[in-house]
Amino acid sequence: YPKSAYDRAGGVVFLPRMLDKIRLNLENALPMEYHSHLGERMDERCCKFLHVSYDEIVCEVAAGRSDEEIVEWCFAHGRTPDAQEVEMWNSFMRKRGWQEEDPRVTDTLKRFKAESGLGNREDIQTFFDYFDVDEKRKP
């Protein structure tokens, strides 16, 4: 399974997870449940935040670059967010699914929890929490 969404590269949360999913997919080792969302949802948000395309990042991963090399590439070819922008991004992403303005996002998290048998877990408040708990239970 991919790295935790809480992991950081260049100070940016979620990016190492996205890169890890790409690596695992290139190695044909990514579980099928992840395939339908590659480059979408949180991946897409991350790319938009960095002003780079998902396909460009896939090429950088395929070239064998490390997480830190790729984040530097993103900053050079997309944009370099300042410390405050990174802080806002990190706060937004770490809280995703918790008390969302768009109830569909919170409903999706609730549905994921229920489908995984975690519907009664009050400690799982965000997608990041869900990913960590759900993936640690799997072989």
Side-chain angles (χ1 to χ4, degrees):
Y1 288 92
K3 293 177 182 176
S4 172
Y6 288 106
D7 288 351
R8 298 172 187 222
V12 178
V13 297
F14 187 77
L15 180 59
R17 178 180 178 83
M18 182 177 74
L19 300 176
D20 216 27
K21 289 189 302 181
I22 294 168
R23 283 187 191 97
L24 290 168
N25 190 46
L26 291 171
E27 297 165 1
N28 293 316
L30 185 67
M32 287 303 298
E33 64 197 78
Y34 295 87
H35 288 219
S36 62
H37 302 298
L38 287 171
E40 298 177 358
R41 298 180 178 180
M42 289 185 176
D43 293 352
E44 182 177 20
R45 280 187 183 273
C46 188
C47 291
K48 285 182 178 181
F49 174 67
L50 296 170
H51 293 201
V52 295
S53 78
Y54 184 79
D55 290 339
E56 290 174 316
I57 290 181
V58 169
C59 289
E60 294 301 308
V61 171
R65 308 218 192 300
S66 69
D67 289 2
E68 290 303 321
E69 289 172 325
I70 293 171
V71 78
E72 289 303 318
W73 180 90
C74 290
F75 291 169
H77 293 86
R79 75 181 192 105
T80 304
D82 64 29
Q84 184 175 2
E85 291 170 320
V86 170
E87 179 183 1
M88 288 188 296
W89 163 262
N90 289 349
S91 292
F92 170 77
M93 290 300 286
R94 283 193 313 262
K95 294 175 185 172
R96 196 79 174 126
W98 177 73
Q99 297 183 353
E100 293 285 342
E101 286 186 32
D102 182 347
R104 293 174 298 177
V105 178
T106 303
D107 290 345
T108 298
L109 176 59
K110 287 178 183 175
R111 181 173 48 82
F112 283 7
K113 286 172 54 176
E115 290 172 356
S116 299
L118 299 168
N120 63 336
R121 295 281 302 266
E122 294 297 321
D123 59 318
I124 302 172
Q125 296 288 313
T126 68
F127 281 102
F128 282 21
D129 294 341
Y130 171 75
F131 298 150
D132 278 358
V133 171
D134 184 54
E135 290 167 358
K136 286 179 183 163
R137 324 177 295 138
K138 296 178 178 176

